[in-house]
Amino acid sequence: QVQLVESGGGLVQAGGSLRLSCTASRRTFSTVMGWFRQAPGKEREFVAAIDMNGGSTSYADSVKGRFTISRDNAKITVYLQMNSLKPEDTAVYYCAADSRTIIQVISTNQAKYWGPGTQVPVSS
């Protein structure tokens, strides 16, 4: 079993920045790692993902130009740099890992491994 541990969440003012980190407990056959989020009263939605081998990335339209996902394969860690945060970014952010492609993960809104989530409240 692989455990994903997120860190870096916390209260931030609108316009501010945060960097989330997600580290896997061991190397897996996961080819994709990424982030989803769930706001109060809403369904979980895709945020960003990265191919751990080739480094290609994908973003939700709502975060393009503001969020950047990156990876450190040696540390089995992915990062989500969030800039220009808005109150509508308020959510619990979940790290995810999967052995399928980015497109498959996004289209199904599912992943094999999930972290427990980290809260990101953005105040106006």
Side-chain angles (χ1 to χ4, degrees), residues 10 73 85 94:
N73 285 4
L85 282 160
Y94 297 92

Side-chain angles (χ1 to χ4, degrees), residues 94-115:
Y94 297 92
C95 179
D98 200 281
S99 57
R100 299 173 297 159
T101 66
I102 289 180
I103 292 176
Q104 288 172 321
V105 171
I106 295 172
S107 64
T108 61
N109 206 34
Q110 294 289 334
K112 185 172 183 178
Y113 303 111
W114 292 95

Side-chain angles (χ1 to χ4, degrees), residues 68-83:
T68 302
I69 189 169
S70 60
R71 76 194 196 284
D72 184 332
N73 285 4
K75 297 181 179 179
I76 328 174
T77 297
V78 292
Y79 305 97
L80 186 68
Q81 178 66 42
M82 305 186 293
N83 298 328

